[in-house]
Amino acid sequence: MAKVYNWQLGREMEYPYAGGDRERQFAAVFNINRCIACQTCTMACKSTWTHYPGQELMFWNNVETKPYGGYPRSWDAKLLEMQETLDPGGQNWAGTGQADVRSPYGRFDGKTIFETANGTSERVTGYLPDDDEWKAPNNGEDHGTKMGPDGAKLPVHQGWFFYLQRICNHCSYPACLAACPRNAIYKRKEDGIVLIDQERCRGYRKCVAACPYKKSMYRPTTRTSEKCIACYPRIEGQDPISDGVPMETRCMASCIGKIRMQGLVQVEADATWTHDPRNPIYYMVHVEKVALPLYPQFGTQPNIYYIPPRWAPREYLRQMFGPGVDAAIEKYANPSRELLALLQLFRATREVIFAFDVIPGPVAQTLNVGGRSRTIYDDTVVGYDAKGREVARVKVVEPVVTRPGSINSI
Amino acid sequence: MRTTHADDDTRTGGRARRWRRRLGLVATVAVVGAVAHIAGFQPAVSQLATVNAYKADADPGMDPSGGPWARIPGVAVPMTAQATTYPFGGDAIPAVDVRALHYNGQLFVRVEWPDSSVNDSTFGTTLFADAAAVQFPAATGSKVPALCMGQADTGVNIWQWRADTEAGVPQTLPEEDPDGVADHYPITDDLGYPARYVGNPFDSTGAAQNLVAEGFGTLTATPEHPVNAAGVHDGNRWAVVFSRAFPSPGEGQPNLTEGTKTDIAVAAWNGQHQDRNGQKSVSQFVSLDIGDEPVPPDRTPWIVILLVGGLFVGVIASVVVWRITP
Amino acid sequence: MAEFHVTFHPGGPAAAAPSAKELEAEDPYELVGLTFEVPPDHDVDLLMARTFVEEYALMGYSRPALRKLFETPFYAGTHDILVRRGPAYVDSVLDEVFGAEVPGDEAGEASAGAAPADEGTSRG
Ligand code: SF4
Ligand code: SF4
């Protein structure tokens, strides 16, 4: 076991391989507050990559309804329980977040999934879900309860819940890669994308058991495991319409709720992020700290960052996103001018945005949010692609078109 | 012997045939057991044990239950859980019975071990296959490589048989699962099967794989398929025959001939215990001697006559004793 | 702005009664859920309503435009709150965000105010 630095945990941790060679990291911010669970992302991925025989149960992108649903069923609750059993009472955070990029959320004092494993039969604590557990990708979403004389009825949700959008986290310290006894999984230095070599994979499913997010999946018709490939031809700028610059993945580009923004961040040898506040992902993760990693305590340093839902009980959110939740929600509910403008840049273009600028605009309206006076400015936000060319320009105030009722038919 | 998808009209047809074969084998194994008992197992003591490859006078074929196998002694090779490299595990198989033959420039190795469950499908995330492998030093007469996977300067050649690849490649969910339904597969070309597209050996029908390795994590399948393998399960035990022509098919694979003395090690996986990769039962190296000693002639009829005769005499004696007892 | 007319036709044309099917507890696809106790002071409707109102208000939506979101049954989330808690409750939430006295503008018509002098944020 080598020692590597995990900035999300604010400490060094055990990992089978030393870090090293890396340049850029695939990363994204998902704003949970705006997801409507339309599953367009899920279908964009499915219709691109996983509609072949043997991939019937595969959803590299899925959206699950928390806390009821999970794909596979109860994946997170199961692993949290295993970790608690192996590290009783130890899964705790200490200290407070620092301003630097090395420990923004304090320090995690518990054991990661690499540290609770015995190292002989397992390098990573995990489990192998059976096929039934993969068969209901969004159990707990609105669904008919009972057929009766009046037809099926949907439950009307009165309790709180939120949707969790999930793809492979292209972790800085991938559990799948650590667990593979074949060296069949690799992480690319140019974008940090984690891939399974389909020629070397022998279907041992060690990665399926090890991935805490359960994003490595077994395909019985080829007897190999497959996973989200981060739409790497698009990230490489190979798509003819992107003119050679990185383009957002299928699941990101199709998001009609405009909850997703994807980027590539510059990283150091120890996997911390190079200072770059003009990069929108860096800005949201490290400057505003409004977007947080999913279950950072597992220790893989995942790279999909979530703006937590402001209405869900905090205890639950703190377990899911770590101790940065309260500050993140405060930032989100009372955004700075720049953050407010940046949120409008989500889904404004299909090119990956490498830098953004905010041009001040006039006052749009004054609100009195929870007793606090808030002024909204109609600023303009501009996004630039990998070559520094302007690819998007939008304003804070959404244009509204009201259709007359008489032609409002769907 | 190779049960592929193509030669079965339906999966169930294939299964039924295999079962008939298995039932037939139960009878054979009784006789094999008797003969083996008469011949006496050679207990393997690590390197001291020797598996003799007898010279057959007729093609033994790939049937592990075939005639000549019953007439040569088996070497009981003890197995232990693999505990040298991650992932440790696999102690479900205590020992294997190893026999060898050669015929017309072809080596045949037969491995048999107890396993009460047949795991010949990997169509499911938690399903793992029964499997067995034999391993040779890459060059005969070379220093014996480290048991597992060899090392950088002395490689090993591994012949692996897997119950699931012998049973064929299932194509779709509905084909395998009676409850499975698929509306439509818009495209089914090889591009949608990346493993197949790049020539991954598991995405193919065929029971045997020929692999070379020079250390852990270096195991690589050769592009050619010089090794044959076929397995039969009798309800309690697997018996698998491997075969390959004597001349080395390529780098990292031993050149064999009559008179070759080399080493052989065995590994076996129990799918029921989710054995795979390093999680397996393994043996030490034992010697393999490809000699000119012929396969003993078929004494089965004599043994049967002896057994039946003995039984007959016994019955007569019992009747006589019963008659004369007041 | 034109009036918004919505008419519902519940059930559609009369049809033969569909067959009834009870839940099967052992059905592997039935909800196997995790439940969490909602803290007693956790007013779900208020949190949801505030979220909806603020999300849109921050993008320049006016108070009347937002009230429409509650009135229109097509917006199930907001409309459910109106049905459950009544119009006065919705107005109180709108008051909380827009201030009770501020008269609403027409949707999208942001009043052009003076450019900010002291409200800018700095990056990095
Ligand atoms: S999310 Fe899972 S599959 Fe993706 S890189 Fe991390 S450990 Fe691997
Ligand atoms: S990044 Fe691409 S491959 Fe991965 S989940 Fe999204 S659409 Fe699928």
Side-chain angles (χ1 to χ4, degrees):
Chain A
M1 284 271 181
K3 288 267 186 211
V4 292
Y5 191 76
N6 184 323
W7 64 260
Q8 294 174 356
L9 305 184
R11 68 166 170 90
E12 281 196 323
M13 65 163 201
E14 305 265 350
Y15 188 69
Y17 303 101
D21 220 17
R22 45 181 115 219
E23 287 166 5
R24 284 201 302 209
Q25 174 62 51
F26 173 98
V29 170
F30 291 1
N31 181 359
I32 292 178
N33 293 275
R34 292 195 177 172
C35 177
I36 56 170
C38 63
Q39 308 283 1
T40 309
C41 48
T42 307
M43 292 320 294
C45 182
K46 186 118 193 98
S47 62
T48 310
W49 304 115
T50 63
H51 56 267
Y52 293 88
Q55 297 178 314
E56 294 84 356
L57 306 180
M58 256 188 213
F59 290 94
W60 293 350
N61 180 105
N62 78 288
V63 180
E64 59 199 39
T65 303
K66 289 302 188 191
Y68 319 109
Y71 169 78
R73 194 190 301 144
S74 309
W75 61 275
D76 49 351
K78 280 190 181 180
L79 188 56
L80 289 166
E81 199 169 27
M82 292 174 83
Q83 284 291 89
E84 184 59 40
T85 310
L86 293 165
D87 181 21
Q91 297 280 297
N92 303 315
W93 293 82
T96 47
Q98 301 297 310
D100 70 3
V101 294
R102 293 182 64 81
S103 59
Y105 320 122
R107 192 181 68 245
F108 180 62
D109 279 348
K111 290 182 176 163
T112 65
I113 55 174
F114 305 108
E115 292 161 343
T116 53
N118 62 22
T120 53
S121 61
E122 305 299 344
R123 279 181 187 159
V124 182
T125 295
Y127 74 100
L128 200 56
D130 71 26
D131 282 354
D132 274 346
E133 295 173 58
W134 299 92
K135 283 180 182 167
N138 195 17
N139 222 348
E141 166 60 314
D142 296 334
H143 63 323
T145 50
K146 186 175 168 181
M147 287 294 272
D150 309 321
K153 283 205 173 65
L154 291 174
V156 175
H157 291 294
Q158 304 219 345
W160 55 274
F161 63 94
F162 61 92
Y163 306 117
L164 188 66
Q165 317 71 30
R166 304 203 307 111
I167 69 170
C168 167
N169 283 286
H170 296 279
C171 306
S172 302
Y173 301 112
C176 54
L177 185 154
C180 180
R182 293 270 306 145
N183 294 339
I185 304 185
Y186 58 103
K187 183 171 176 67
R188 312 201 304 183
K189 83 171 187 186
E190 64 271 30
D191 48 23
I193 291 173
V194 178
L195 296 172
I196 301 175
D197 182 341
Q198 289 299 310
E199 201 175 347
R200 285 195 63 74
C201 176
R202 287 170 71 87
Y204 297 142
R205 287 157 266 177
K206 282 292 191 183
C207 58
V208 182
C211 173
Y213 305 101
K214 294 288 166 262
K215 282 297 169 188
S216 177
M217 299 160 197
Y218 175 66
R219 177 168 180 188
T221 51
T222 58
R223 299 190 172 105
T224 56
S225 297
E226 296 181 347
K227 64 179 282 300
C228 157
I229 58 171
C231 294
Y232 68 82
R234 291 167 71 105
I235 304 300
E236 289 166 0
Q238 283 182 23
D239 193 297
I241 56 172
S242 71
D243 191 23
V245 293
M247 198 159 110
E248 291 202 344
T249 68
R250 289 277 291 138
C251 55
M252 315 267 177
S254 66
C255 178
I256 63 164
K258 299 187 179 186
I259 80 143
R260 297 183 178 212
M261 176 179 274
Q262 187 226 309
L264 285 160
V265 293
Q266 209 78 36
V267 286
E268 304 290 327
D270 66 356
T272 54
W273 292 14
T274 310
H275 185 72
D276 182 12
R278 278 191 78 213
N279 180 308
I281 307 296
Y282 182 96
Y283 179 77
M284 285 184 279
V285 172
H286 277 303
V287 178
E288 294 277 0
K289 297 189 179 71
V290 69
L292 303 168
L294 177 65
Y295 293 115
Q297 66 267 44
F298 292 158
T300 63
Q301 202 173 295
N303 287 299
I304 306 298
Y305 297 84
Y306 293 86
I307 302 180
R310 45 193 283 180
W311 61 89
R314 295 292 168 90
E315 208 50 47
Y316 184 68
L317 296 179
R318 281 184 211 115
Q319 182 181 44
M320 188 173 273
F321 302 108
V325 161
D326 301 280
I329 291 178
E330 172 59 25
K331 282 276 186 197
Y332 180 70
N334 297 290
S336 67
R337 280 180 72 169
E338 260 159 331
L339 178 58
L340 186 59
L342 180 54
L343 287 168
Q344 291 296 56
L345 211 49
F346 280 54
R347 297 277 21 84
T349 174
R350 64 183 169 231
E351 280 80 24
V352 171
I353 296 173
F354 281 74
F356 77 105
D357 278 331
V358 177
I359 302 165
V363 170
Q365 63 181 343
T366 302
L367 305 174
N368 176 20
V369 182
R372 262 190 287 178
S373 174
R374 287 290 316 276
T375 306
I376 310 298
Y377 297 94
D378 192 13
D379 294 338
T380 300
V381 59
V382 188
Y384 305 93
D385 71 9
K387 293 180 179 166
R389 297 175 301 197
E390 179 178 326
V391 281
R393 178 179 287 261
V394 279
K395 295 186 139 213
V396 167
V397 173
E398 285 264 301
V400 175
V401 178
T402 308
R403 287 185 292 180
S406 56
I407 59 158
N408 191 9
S409 91
I410 298 165
Chain B
M1 265 320 285
R2 243 154 109 143
T3 310
T4 63
H5 218 55
D7 65 26
D8 288 340
D9 323 351
T10 62
R11 300 270 303 160
T12 34
R15 288 230 165 101
R17 274 206 291 285
R18 221 180 310 151
W19 271 109
R20 274 200 296 280
R21 211 161 60 205
R22 281 171 197 157
L23 288 176
L25 201 71
V26 176
T28 323
V29 162
V31 177
V32 171
V35 173
H37 195 72
I38 290 165
F41 278 113
Q42 283 173 249
V45 187
S46 184
Q47 283 288 81
L48 300 177
T50 299
V51 175
N52 285 312
Y54 292 83
K55 187 168 183 167
D57 54 6
D59 188 353
M62 294 301 293
D63 186 353
S65 54
W69 294 113
R71 305 206 297 276
I72 60 171
V75 177
V77 178
M79 307 278 274
T80 53
Q82 191 279 123
T84 311
T85 187
Y86 163 80
F88 291 19
D91 53 3
I93 299 158
V96 289
D97 171 281
V98 184
R99 293 159 203 235
L101 290 174
H102 64 97
Y103 171 74
N104 200 18
Q106 184 103 6
L107 176 69
F108 296 83
V109 179
R110 179 185 186 279
V111 178
E112 184 188 323
W113 71 96
D115 182 353
S116 56
S117 54
V118 176
N119 299 94
D120 63 354
S121 168
T122 45
F123 204 93
T125 304
T126 47
L127 299 182
F128 293 89
D130 294 329
V134 290
Q135 173 178 283
F136 307 90
T140 57
S142 72
K143 199 160 73 48
V144 176
L147 175 62
C148 295
M149 302 297 166
Q151 57 213 30
D153 53 341
T154 39
V156 290
N157 177 210
I158 293 165
W159 305 350
Q160 194 197 36
W161 164 90
R162 261 177 48 166
D164 62 328
T165 46
E166 180 163 17
V169 184
Q171 294 304 315
T172 62
L173 184 69
E175 214 173 293
E176 193 70 9
D177 176 358
D179 295 330
V181 180
D183 298 331
H184 177 52
Y185 296 103
I187 317 168
T188 50
D189 59 13
D190 276 4
L191 256 180
Y193 298 82
R196 183 174 306 170
Y197 193 75
V198 296
N200 186 305
F202 276 118
D203 185 35
S204 62
T205 9
Q209 276 196 56
N210 184 44
L211 305 132
V212 291
E214 286 186 348
F216 298 123
T218 63
L219 192 65
T220 308
T222 62
E224 308 79 36
H225 303 283
V227 177
N228 274 329
V232 171
H233 194 266
D234 71 356
N236 289 307
R237 300 170 74 81
W238 276 110
V240 176
V241 169
F242 298 91
S243 83
R244 198 203 82 185
F246 278 165
S248 166
E251 210 183 318
Q253 301 157 66
N255 198 34
L256 306 169
T257 181
E258 195 177 303
T260 296
K261 288 185 191 343
T262 186
D263 298 301
I264 183 169
V266 182
W269 291 262
N270 185 342
Q272 191 71 19
H273 290 219
Q274 299 207 338
D275 280 0
R276 77 269 204 189
N277 180 244
Q279 287 160 284
K280 62 189 171 190
S281 303
V282 288
S283 81
Q284 299 289 321
F285 268 113
V286 297
S287 301
L288 174 69
D289 202 341
I290 305 177
D292 57 2
E293 194 179 332
V295 174
D298 190 356
R299 294 203 200 89
T300 315
W302 291 107
I303 288 160
V304 170
I305 287 166
L306 253 155
L307 285 175
V308 171
L311 197 68
F312 184 74
V313 170
V315 168
I316 297 291
S318 314
V319 169
V320 169
V321 168
W322 178 69
R323 278 287 184 95
I324 63 170
T325 308
Chain C
M1 203 169 78
E3 269 297 292
F4 203 103
H5 296 288
V6 181
T7 321
F8 265 126
H9 303 284
S19 56
K21 185 179 175 300
E22 294 296 324
L23 294 182
E24 293 170 49
E26 303 80 47
D27 182 346
Y29 300 112
E30 266 315 322
L31 179 60
V32 183
L34 299 163
T35 55
F36 289 85
E37 235 173 87
V38 177
D41 57 344
H42 197 89
D43 182 347
V44 174
D45 287 343
L46 181 65
L47 283 160
M48 289 307 299
R50 279 284 294 271
T51 302
F52 285 125
V53 171
E54 288 181 33
E55 282 284 317
Y56 285 98
L58 289 172
M59 293 189 292
Y61 269 55
S62 67
R63 183 181 173 134
L66 265 158
R67 197 160 197 299
K68 280 274 183 305
L69 292 188
F70 287 87
E71 287 160 8
T72 310
F74 292 130
Y75 299 101
T78 37
H79 186 67
D80 278 355
I81 294 170
L82 180 83
V83 169
R84 237 180 352 253
R85 306 297 287 262
Y89 181 84
V90 169
D91 285 331
S92 74
V93 174
L94 291 169
D95 285 351
E96 261 187 75
V97 175
F98 286 93
E101 317 81 39
V102 178
D105 297 335
E106 268 305 292
E109 286 174 19
S111 46
D118 54 352
E119 286 269 3
T121 60
S122 60
R123 250 192 287 168

